[in-house]
Amino acid sequence: MAGISIPGVTDKYSTNDTIEKLMKVERIPLTREQKQLETYKSEKDAWREINSRLTSLRDSTKTLYSFENPFNNKLTTSSQENAITAQANRSADIQSFKIDVLQAASSDRFMTDELENDYKIPAGTYIYKVGEKQVLYNWKGGSIKDFSSGINKRGNGIIKSSIIGAGSGKKSLLIEAIPTGKENRLIFEGDAKKFAFDSGMINKIKSQEIRFGTSQDEILPVQKIEYDESEYMPELTLTGTKLEEGIISVQPRGAYQVSVPGNISSDSAQVITFNIQAKKTEDITPEINKTLLQPEIPDAGFIEFNGIVVNNNESDTSLNLPSVPPEPLEAIENENVLFAVMEDGSEKEIPTENLLKGENLEIKVPVKEYQGIKYIAVRNINTGTQLNLSTFASSDPTKDLGYGPQHAVSEADDAIIKYEGITISRPSNKIDDVVPEVTLNIYDKTDKTATINIKPDTESSKDAIIQFVGQYNQAVAEINILSQNKPEIIEELDYLSTEEKQAEQERLGMFSTDFSLTSIKSSMQTIVSAGYSFSDSADITMLSQIGIATNAGGFSGGYSQSKLRGYLEIDEKKLDSALENNMDDIRQLFGYDSDGDLIVDSGIAYKLDKQISAYTQTGGILALKTSSLDSKIKNTESRIAKLESQMDDKEAELRNKYAQMEGSLGSLESQQTTISNFTKQQQK
């Protein structure tokens, strides 16, 4: 098939080159638009990079004046870190104090006897209580391992269990309360109690109940209280109050009090219990009312004789009767008859709801709710009710359970510390209500008095300042590159790699005619170099005074053009000294309240934040820049798409025309060949 030419396929006449040259001329507008599009995209990327740098700087400035500023951070040290440490809040005072740890808070941790490996824990409802919380475990029966695993799944921060390897072929089950403190005793109920006895975890112990008010000698008169009653109502007295067979009977208008022993009133875990019952009796008011009636004195009389009337003299007997007869007394029914009398003489009512219904009420008086209780007083102000009370008993309900641990790894108790000579107990090893804004963490008893020091966290403050300077310099470097056409600007940035420097060369001076960048740079320089008189007594009012300036190290070694570009330098020794001695001045230098409304409204960081926000916020200067470029990019892309379509049509048209031309030339060549061949045959 040699010599065959197919128009539009073969390129016998070099039409492809011809078409390409013609299209190159046609594509000049398209190429121009494509280059413009790349320029727009590069400018948009540059503005976005500026926005990113300024946003990072703004975020850094916020940390220097916001409520979470690092200048309020505190560091604590302890001379006995194995026994006690501390955590200081940002509002804590700079101080040093001493603490003795007498004991750490502990929890109940009880262990069984050594049990055989194949020991089966019987099915049942196992109830474990710690304080006011409980875990109820419906156990189907099985091995120690499965039982322990089931408790841990249901423990919910209340209890947990573990298995302790004992002798050969034996193991012990450990159950422990998670909360510490003597009020969080581990209590067994239901089948848990039976299993605890059977497994040797607990055994019976004698009750620790304290009884008082058990003899007539302990029944004392009460302090006199004025009631809003008739003057003819009998006063409350001890008369008729007696103790027989463990029951104290109090007749109407009777009263007494019993002294609470000191070992009870001083123990907040104690709960005083007793019973009281009201019994109806003959009301005393009718009899009293009879005595209040005034006698009727008969008239003295008179005689009449011959029309003359002579009156008898009135009786001169004086009965000292009131001029106006008193109102009869009304019966009193009141169930408020029990009171806790405090050491200062004040009283607090002990509730006795439904007393007058005749129910035998069990009264519980938790000492922790009646701090300072000295007496329990009974005032039967009723006129037709007798009160019968049992003697008093007190116990710690978390201890007086009738049983105790047989293998106690530890027992629940409070942490006890001595602070400023005062002995303090708390149920937890984390104590946050002794030293203001400081949390104490207790681990063990101190060997000697621990010294806790609270100091400013200068390291976090220094890191925040260094980060701010770094963000500031990166923003200034970005502005310099885009606003100035000086290659040395890039060469001075030692932290850039060779590839990064080459990339920056393409952006050099991109916005040299845009004054918004030089404007923000000038504003930033003004802010960081200005003075801030936040206090007449301040030692530091300028950034340069803490070792931060455009020439913090001085012009050593001669003149340096790079020092005039606006970058900040740090004299680290000077900064360290300032942080150590003038932390509060530095905090206010970056942000302070100038008008007394407790809101920061001035300072380096505050002003930089406000200045930069005009550029970086939604709808700000940089947003308008990128928005404008977005519109230009969109329009350019539309023109490019249109031109590309036109180029495709033009190229198709040229190829069609040149294909027709090639076809015509091929036809002529074919005719010429035919004629040439015919001529040669005739000459033969």
Side-chain angles (χ1 to χ4, degrees):
M1 300 297 291
I4 296 177
S5 176
I6 303 174
V9 177
T10 59
D11 194 18
K12 182 178 179 180
Y13 305 104
S14 300
T15 55
N16 287 335
D17 290 340
T18 303
I19 293 172
E20 187 59 38
K21 291 176 181 178
L22 292 172
M23 288 304 301
K24 187 174 182 180
V25 176
E26 295 288 342
R27 288 193 183 99
I28 290 175
L30 175 60
T31 303
R32 184 171 55 247
E33 292 293 340
Q34 289 173 332
K35 287 183 178 180
Q36 186 64 60
L37 178 62
E38 292 303 317
T39 299
Y40 289 152
K41 288 183 177 180
S42 296
E43 289 179 354
K44 181 180 177 181
D45 290 341
W47 284 121
R48 291 174 67 179
E49 183 65 22
I50 280 287
N51 186 73
S52 176
R53 296 293 186 188
L54 290 177
T55 299
S56 297
L57 174 58
R58 184 187 180 196
D59 292 341
S60 181
T61 61
K62 279 183 175 293
T63 64
L64 294 175
Y65 79 88
S66 68
F67 176 76
E68 298 296 331
N69 71 79
F71 308 113
N72 287 329
N73 292 346
K74 304 296 191 303
L75 286 178
T76 61
T77 58
S78 169
S79 63
Q80 295 272 300
E81 290 194 349
N82 62 322
I84 180 172
T85 61
Q87 292 174 302
N89 295 339
R90 292 165 53 80
S91 302
D93 293 334
I94 304 301
Q95 59 183 307
S96 177
F97 54 88
K98 298 183 182 299
I99 284 186
D100 292 292
V101 179
L102 305 183
Q103 72 178 34
S106 56
S107 62
D108 277 337
R109 303 175 68 205
F110 301 160
M111 191 164 60
T112 66
D113 290 337
E114 293 183 1
L115 307 174
E116 299 294 335
N117 282 340
D118 58 355
Y119 184 92
K120 301 297 182 184
I121 299 178
T125 301
Y126 290 72
I127 301 173
Y128 298 93
K129 288 186 176 181
V130 178
E132 297 180 354
K133 299 179 180 179
Q134 75 171 26
V135 174
L136 190 150
Y137 183 17
N138 291 314
W139 169 243
K140 296 181 180 180
S143 68
I144 300 174
K145 180 180 179 181
D146 290 341
F147 182 79
S148 177
S149 177
I151 285 181
N152 289 333
K153 289 179 181 178
R154 296 164 177 79
N156 197 28
I158 302 171
I159 61 170
K160 64 180 180 179
S161 172
S162 56
I163 298 174
I164 309 299
S168 177
K170 294 186 177 182
K171 60 185 67 172
S172 296
L173 177 67
L174 176 70
I175 296 179
E176 60 182 294
I178 295 176
T180 58
K182 62 183 180 182
E183 292 185 358
N184 291 315
R185 299 298 305 271
L186 176 59
I187 299 173
F188 305 89
E189 292 186 359
D191 291 304
K193 185 175 181 180
K194 183 178 184 305
F195 168 68
F197 273 115
D198 293 344
S199 64
M201 185 176 287
I202 59 175
N203 56 10
K204 291 184 179 180
I205 60 173
K206 187 178 180 180
S207 173
Q208 301 177 32
E209 185 178 75
I210 304 171
R211 304 195 68 84
F212 63 99
T214 58
S215 69
Q216 192 72 36
D217 293 339
E218 295 181 71
I219 299 176
L220 308 172
V222 297
Q223 60 181 352
K224 187 175 181 180
I225 298 292
E226 296 293 336
Y227 288 94
D228 185 17
E229 298 174 333
S230 169
E231 62 180 302
Y232 300 103
M233 182 64 73
E235 292 185 357
L236 300 178
T237 66
L238 189 62
T239 305
T241 298
K242 59 183 178 179
L243 172 63
E244 292 181 346
E245 298 181 355
I247 299 296
I248 305 173
S249 59
V250 186
Q251 301 301 319
R253 305 298 292 180
Y256 78 99
Q257 67 183 18
V258 172
S259 177
V260 178
N263 59 340
I264 295 176
S265 60
S266 62
D267 186 355
S268 62
Q270 292 286 320
V271 176
I272 302 170
T273 59
F274 59 95
N275 287 75
I276 182 171
Q277 186 173 26
K279 181 181 178 181
K280 289 291 183 180
T281 188
E282 184 178 356
D283 199 291
I284 63 173
T285 54
E287 192 65 30
I288 297 174
N289 287 334
K290 289 180 182 179
T291 65
L292 298 179
L293 297 176
Q294 299 189 37
E296 293 185 8
I297 300 175
D299 188 82
F302 64 92
I303 60 173
E304 182 179 355
F305 181 75
N306 294 328
I308 300 173
V309 177
V310 179
N311 292 314
N312 292 328
N313 291 330
E314 297 288 339
S315 173
D316 59 359
T317 302
S318 177
L319 299 179
N320 293 322
L321 296 176
S323 59
V324 179
E327 294 290 333
L329 300 180
E330 294 184 359
I332 297 176
E333 289 189 351
N334 194 316
E335 59 186 19
N336 300 327
V337 297
L338 294 179
F339 302 88
V341 183
M342 305 305 175
E343 293 178 350
D344 60 0
S346 63
E347 297 190 358
K348 185 177 180 181
E349 183 183 332
I350 300 173
T352 52
E353 188 176 355
N354 298 324
L355 173 66
L356 298 182
K357 291 183 178 180
E359 299 178 10
N360 188 8
L361 302 181
E362 182 184 26
I363 305 299
K364 293 186 177 182
V365 183
V367 172
K368 66 180 179 180
E369 296 180 12
Y370 296 85
Q371 294 290 336
I373 185 172
K374 188 175 183 180
Y375 300 99
I376 293 179
V378 181
R379 290 191 176 86
N380 186 11
I381 64 174
N382 296 285
T383 56
T385 301
Q386 175 182 312
L387 300 179
N388 296 322
L389 291 91
S390 69
T391 56
F392 300 89
S394 181
S395 65
D396 181 345
T398 63
K399 290 182 178 179
D400 198 14
L401 302 170
Y403 62 81
Q406 187 161 312
H407 305 288
V409 178
S410 66
E411 294 191 46
D413 210 341
D414 292 343
I416 302 177
I417 63 173
K418 183 174 284 187
Y419 170 71
E420 299 293 345
I422 302 171
T423 301
I424 300 167
S425 64
R426 293 291 184 273
S428 172
N429 284 318
K430 189 177 288 291
I431 303 174
D432 59 5
D433 60 350
V434 173
V435 184
E437 303 298 330
V438 177
T439 299
L440 303 175
N441 300 305
I442 309 299
Y443 306 108
D444 203 351
K445 181 179 178 180
T446 50
D447 298 328
K448 56 184 179 180
T449 301
T451 301
I452 308 294
N453 292 308
I454 301 176
K455 302 184 298 182
D457 184 359
T458 56
E459 284 302 314
S460 66
S461 299
K462 180 179 178 180
D463 290 343
I465 291 173
I466 290 174
Q467 182 181 15
F468 158 71
V469 171
Q471 299 288 1
Y472 180 91
N473 286 343
Q474 287 184 359
V476 170
E478 189 71 17
I479 292 172
N480 286 341
I481 291 170
L482 294 173
S483 63
Q484 301 179 48
N485 196 7
K486 298 177 181 179
E488 58 269 23
I489 291 175
I490 298 174
E491 293 302 322
E492 293 165 0
L493 303 177
D494 297 332
Y495 56 84
L496 295 180
S497 65
T498 303
E499 292 78 10
E500 289 173 333
K501 287 182 178 180
Q502 290 175 351
E504 293 295 345
Q505 289 289 350
E506 298 177 2
R507 306 192 310 143
L508 189 64
M510 182 179 289
F511 302 133
S512 58
T513 59
D514 193 315
F515 295 106
S516 58
L517 292 182
T518 54
S519 175
I520 181 65
K521 177 184 173 182
S522 176
S523 298
M524 289 165 54
Q525 288 178 311
T526 300
I527 291 170
V528 298
S529 61
Y532 297 86
S533 300
F534 48 82
S535 171
D536 293 338
S537 60
D539 294 325
I540 293 176
T541 57
M542 297 182 69
L543 203 57
S544 59
Q545 291 177 286
I546 64 173
I548 300 175
T550 55
N551 184 33
F555 288 111
S556 58
Y559 171 79
S560 173
Q561 179 66 32
S562 64
K563 292 181 179 293
L564 302 178
R565 308 235 188 257
Y567 303 121
L568 292 177
E569 296 178 349
I570 300 176
D571 183 336
E572 199 165 347
K573 289 184 179 180
K574 194 171 182 179
L575 176 60
D576 288 340
S577 176
L579 288 170
E580 190 68 33
N581 301 303
N582 302 95
M583 180 67 81
D584 193 60
D585 281 1
I586 295 174
R587 176 180 62 81
Q588 296 201 73
L589 176 63
F590 284 102
Y592 66 95
D593 169 25
S594 64
D595 55 12
D597 63 356
L598 303 180
I599 299 175
V600 174
D601 55 19
S602 190
I604 293 172
Y606 174 84
K607 289 196 171 184
L608 276 176
D609 176 23
K610 297 306 174 186
Q611 185 66 42
I612 294 171
S613 65
Y615 283 76
T616 59
Q617 67 186 357
T618 303
I621 294 173
L622 298 182
L624 293 175
K625 297 282 187 184
T626 55
S627 176
S628 174
L629 285 170
D630 283 336
S631 298
K632 292 178 180 180
I633 289 171
K634 184 177 180 181
N635 293 335
T636 302
E637 287 176 339
S638 296
R639 289 195 295 272
I640 288 173
K642 185 176 180 180
L643 287 170
E644 285 177 339
S645 177
Q646 292 175 356
M647 293 305 101
D648 290 341
D649 292 342
K650 185 65 176 179
E651 186 174 356
E653 179 185 353
L654 288 174
R655 291 193 181 280
N656 182 50
K657 288 181 178 180
Y658 276 90
Q660 291 178 4
M661 180 193 72
E662 287 180 355
S664 298
L665 290 173
S667 177
L668 290 173
E669 288 179 358
S670 178
Q671 291 177 11
Q672 182 180 5
T673 302
T674 301
I675 293 170
S676 177
N677 290 337
F678 178 76
T679 302
K680 290 179 180 180
Q681 289 177 359
Q682 292 297 322
Q683 290 176 352
K684 292 180 180 180

